[in-house]
Amino acid sequence: MRTSLFLGVVLALGAGGALVSVDASAQNARAARAQTEGSMVLSGSIDIAPDGSVEGTLKNEDRIEPYIQDFLKQNVARWRFEPVLREGRAVAAKTPVNLRLVARRASGDGMDVVLSSANFRNFDPKASDAVGIDRMPPPSFPRELMEMGGAGEVQLLLRVARDGTVDDVIAEQVNAYVAGSARAMQRMRDVMARSAVTAARKWAFIAPTTGASVDDPFWTVRVPVRFFYGGNGDRYGKWQVYIPGPKQSAPWKVNDVAADDAPDMLPDGGVYMVGVDNGPKLLTPLQG
């Protein structure tokens, strides 16, 4: 099983490696590629038995390589959740799940693959106990980024005021899909971050009207923004190769208890409150 997983990842990343920009020398390209990671995000649902044992089902399994399916099924089968209670009684329950696999280069020609994170919640635009969307037009694709041949993703961290406006916003992390010189990649990240942050300052949200967070002085949310040519495309079941950027800390207090700290962990089109995890509680390690 380990061999088939390793070979599958090597072949996938070898075929879909990060591009090299025109101003990158061979040495710069090698240095950038040495930092490359691969990420795959999958979704599905989990049936939780009254005793906390689980059965999981992935969406669109026909689009997922068998070695990935086997790897996940072996790990999910070991999961145990805190029993879901209704009126003090343990009951069967169903929950959504988003899973993230990460492949990183190891010593020599090796590759380490791990089940990096999982969350058990989806964005519900009708939920009254969470921050909702009022107005959130996406940023335009920057001309400078297009001229550079750049692409990537920005994870935004926003502080939402009680009136729904954006008090503050930072680009928490910017991952590049294109390799190049250190100077070119920094410029690329700056362009994407600036475009995403500028757009986010004009967004408006709907404050929670119920739930435990309704009286909070502000709310922190994460929003993923992706800069692709021709749109996001269909990435399901495929490795996304990228070069991770440094992670920035918010200047305000953030109580982060969720395991959704990767920008591609969050499905597009949603707003995800930080420090709020209403999903079932996993008692065992993600990867056994």
Side-chain angles (χ1 to χ4, degrees), residues 31-84:
R33 286 180 181 275
Q35 305 173 50
T36 299
E37 296 182 358
S39 176
M40 182 186 295
V41 177
L42 302 170
S43 58
S45 61
I46 289 178
D47 292 306
I48 304 175
D51 65 356
S53 60
V54 303
E55 288 188 4
T57 302
L58 292 172
K59 292 181 181 177
N60 301 314
E61 288 194 348
D62 59 320
R63 293 160 58 188
I64 304 170
E65 293 289 344
Y67 71 90
I68 294 294
Q69 294 187 44
D70 291 342
F71 175 74
L72 290 175
K73 286 178 180 178
Q74 290 178 17
N75 282 282
V76 172
R78 301 186 184 102
W79 288 358
R80 291 296 181 271
F81 284 84
E82 187 175 276
V84 177

Side-chain angles (χ1 to χ4, degrees), residues 2-3 5-14 33-34 36-39 102-114 239 241:
R2 178 177 299 176
T3 301
L5 180 63
F6 170 79
L7 289 177
V9 173
V10 169
L11 291 173
L13 296 189
R33 286 180 181 275
T36 299
E37 296 182 358
S39 176
V102 171
R104 298 185 177 97
R105 297 182 185 276
S107 57
D109 296 326
M111 187 75 65
D112 289 331
V113 180
V114 296
W239 289 101
V241 182

Side-chain angles (χ1 to χ4, degrees), residues 42-46 57 79 95-99 118-122:
L42 302 170
S43 58
S45 61
I46 289 178
T57 302
W79 288 358
T95 183
V97 60
N98 297 296
L99 302 167
N119 69 46
F120 308 100
R121 55 194 174 114
N122 283 333

Side-chain angles (χ1 to χ4, degrees), residues 157-175:
L157 199 61
L158 297 87
R159 173 173 160 147
V160 178
R162 290 191 59 81
D163 63 357
T165 59
V166 177
D167 260 354
D168 203 352
V169 55
I170 66 164
E172 186 180 27
Q173 189 170 22
V174 185
N175 293 341

